[in-house]
Amino acid sequence: MRYPLCAAASIFASLALSVTGTLVGAFFGLQIGQAGAEHERRNRQMAEEAARMALAHLPLDTAKEVLSASQKRP
């Protein structure tokens, strides 16, 4: 082999870059996943608030029927 240090350096560089790439990818994957979960939580909270506001405009008996029917769903 003509340049043994170059071969060792390229092996070391590829190993370091693959480990770094894996860690960076995992970090950004977790960040994106957490951001998506937070977005979903906010959307669910807004939908629940809108449902409560809509129920407030219904007659009491109708609102009770809607609530009992929604609690029976799986």
Side-chain angles (χ1 to χ4, degrees):
M1 186 173 247
R2 189 168 178 174
Y3 300 106
L5 290 178
C6 290
S10 68
I11 291 171
F12 177 75
S14 65
L15 177 64
L17 288 174
S18 65
V19 170
T20 303
T22 301
L23 293 176
V24 169
F27 174 77
F28 284 117
L30 288 173
Q31 292 294 325
I32 290 170
Q34 289 175 351
E38 178 64 21
H39 180 70
E40 178 63 28
R41 186 192 63 78
R42 274 189 257 129
N43 283 346
R44 188 179 315 118
Q45 186 178 20
M46 287 176 18
E48 288 173 358
E49 289 173 8
R52 278 190 229 110
M53 289 176 59
L55 283 174
H57 293 287
L58 292 175
L60 184 60
D61 293 337
T62 307
K64 285 181 181 180
E65 287 178 26
V66 170
L67 285 175
S68 66
S70 69
Q71 291 173 354
K72 290 179 184 176
R73 285 189 326 162

